[in-house]
Structures are given as C-alpha cells and as structure tokens.
Amino acid sequence: KQEVTQIPAALSVPEGENLVLNCSFTDSAIYNLQWFRQDPGKGLTSLLLIQSSQREQTSGRLNASLDKSSGRSTLYIAASQPGDSATYLCAVPTSTDSWGKLQFGAGTQVVVTP
Amino acid sequence: NAGVTQTPKFQVLKTGQSMTLQCAQDMNHNSMYWYRQDPGMGLRLIYYSASEGTTDKGEVPNGYNVSRLNKREFSLRLESAAPSQTSVYFCASREGQGNVFKHFGDGTRLSIL
C-alpha cells in the first residue's frame, strides 16, 4: 500500500527565508504527484502537479521537484511571505488506478513570521 | 462562482443519529469524491463516483453510504453516527480520469458526541 510521509509536521520561518517542504512516498510507480495548500477552515487549493515523466514544475515563487527513484518530492517556496502561512499537503494516486484514489501526506503546517 | 458547494458547514450530532452531507458541483464534472480529514492525518477517501450512476468504496467506507443523485450532486450519509466519525469531510470533483484535482469544497465539520 502506498504511504506518503511529510516531515516536518510543522515549520516556522521568518519572512524572506526560503521554504523547503519534503514529501516521501513508498511506491515509486506513481502517475503524478500533486501539491496542495490548505488554509484554516478551508478546502484544498491545488498548487502544482508534476507528471511522472517530469523532474520539476514551477509556478511563480513555487518550484516542485520529483525524484521517483528515491521516492521523494520537494516543494520550494522562494522569499516566503506571511501570506504563505498555511498547511501544505502532497498527494499521489494509488498505484493500482488513477480514478482519484489519492494518498495524502499528513501535511506540513507552515508559519511565516513578519 | 463555479465550484464545489458543501452543506452544512458545521454539525453536531449525538451517537446513533443519522444525517446526510450534501455536495454539489456546477462544473459538469464526471467524477466526485468524499474524503475525511482527521487531526495529524492526511485526507482519506471514503467513497467516490467515477461517473453518474456509479459509486465505489474508497479506503474507509465503513459506516457510510453515498448516493450520486445526478451529475451535479453526490451525498454522503451516516446512518448511525459514532464518535469515531467526528471529522472534517471534504467533497471534491474533477473532470475525469487522470486529471488534476482542482476543486474541493470548504468542508463540513462534524462532531459526534
């Protein structure tokens, strides 16, 4: 069974520092990997999707890398801002099908202090 | 605004009571999903509907039933609520197989006493 781990569970950084968030998965046979942001009391917002054939995906200050062989993805957020404070989750489809049976990590709660 | 709408946003139940969580999307998506989120854990799939007229179990289906009423609506029912079902429930939709998940509702926060 696919297992997804995110370490650390929480992270606090001063404004302006770069954020590095980690996501590990046990089964490298993934179709893609998706990063989400969750604000308190809200649903999930999709940030980036990396296909299994890609090594990297960028959107603005966000950059996500994928290394299937080592079972790892990293989300980089450059020059963090207080507005980046949220919980960040990664998710991969289960290895058996792609009908949306996403396996989520527990998330990393990020606080960016002014 | 287009999106996924969940009702109610909050609910408190007593053990043994029943209730239905409602979810509707106005994007003409084929697939709809119910997830639950517990503290310190990621979202776990309860049930999903790949298309109108079909439903399938996810990772944690016990104690729940679902109905895909039409293409827009996908409801989740707790027949006899238990304290272990205290959670935040999220509904999601997407266009089809393999596509990115972009649309989640804001969640229903359910407490069972």
Side-chain angles (χ1 to χ4, degrees):
Chain A
K1 178 188 174 227
Q2 178 75 271
E3 293 184 2
V4 181
T5 304
Q6 292 185 250
I7 296 173
L11 186 61
S12 181
V13 298
E15 183 177 3
E17 194 165 295
N18 296 333
L19 281 164
V20 181
L21 307 177
N22 298 306
C23 173
S24 301
F25 46 93
T26 55
D27 187 346
S28 63
I30 60 171
Y31 295 102
N32 54 52
L33 184 144
Q34 197 165 351
W35 282 95
F36 296 90
R37 169 185 173 134
Q38 185 176 27
D39 293 291
K42 294 292 186 180
L44 277 65
T45 300
S46 177
L47 296 175
L48 289 168
L49 173 76
I50 310 178
Q51 299 291 354
S52 60
S53 58
Q54 296 177 305
R55 298 275 301 188
E56 205 169 285
Q57 187 70 256
T58 298
S59 176
R61 294 185 294 112
L62 276 60
N63 175 276
S65 65
L66 176 64
D67 184 344
K68 285 179 56 179
S69 61
S70 66
R72 295 181 62 179
S73 177
T74 303
L75 178 66
Y76 300 90
I77 303 177
S80 61
Q81 304 168 359
D84 294 328
S85 298
T87 297
Y88 293 83
L89 298 97
C90 64
V92 297
T94 60
S95 59
T96 56
D97 67 66
S98 62
W99 276 112
K101 292 181 182 177
L102 291 180
Q103 193 71 36
F104 281 84
T108 295
Q109 185 175 16
V110 171
V111 174
V112 180
T113 55
Chain B
N1 291 335
V4 178
T5 302
Q6 290 184 238
T7 55
K9 295 190 184 303
F10 302 93
Q11 185 71 48
V12 179
L13 292 178
K14 295 181 179 179
T15 298
Q17 288 185 316
S18 62
M19 81 161 293
T20 300
L21 281 62
Q22 307 286 354
C23 175
Q25 52 92 7
D26 56 7
M27 296 165 285
N28 204 37
H29 285 168
N30 286 314
S31 305
M32 298 185 73
Y33 307 81
W34 277 106
Y35 285 90
R36 62 177 286 175
Q37 185 177 33
D38 300 299
M41 301 183 70
L43 279 71
R44 292 182 292 167
L45 183 65
I46 305 171
Y47 271 93
Y48 69 104
S49 171
S51 60
E52 185 179 356
T54 68
T55 60
D56 282 289
K57 295 178 181 179
E59 183 184 354
V60 288
N62 292 345
Y64 304 95
N65 287 302
V66 290
S67 296
R68 184 74 184 265
L69 304 171
N70 46 56
K71 195 169 186 180
R72 288 188 63 250
E73 298 172 290
F74 188 37
S75 63
L76 178 71
R77 183 162 178 83
L78 287 70
E79 291 290 353
S80 180
S84 62
Q85 294 176 305
T86 293
S87 188
V88 182
Y89 292 86
F90 290 100
C91 179
S93 74
R94 66 174 186 173
E95 189 171 348
Q97 186 177 15
N99 291 335
V100 62
F101 272 86
K102 286 186 178 179
H103 304 282
F104 281 80
D106 285 342
T108 294
R109 282 143 188 84
L110 182 60
S111 293
I112 298 162
L113 307 177

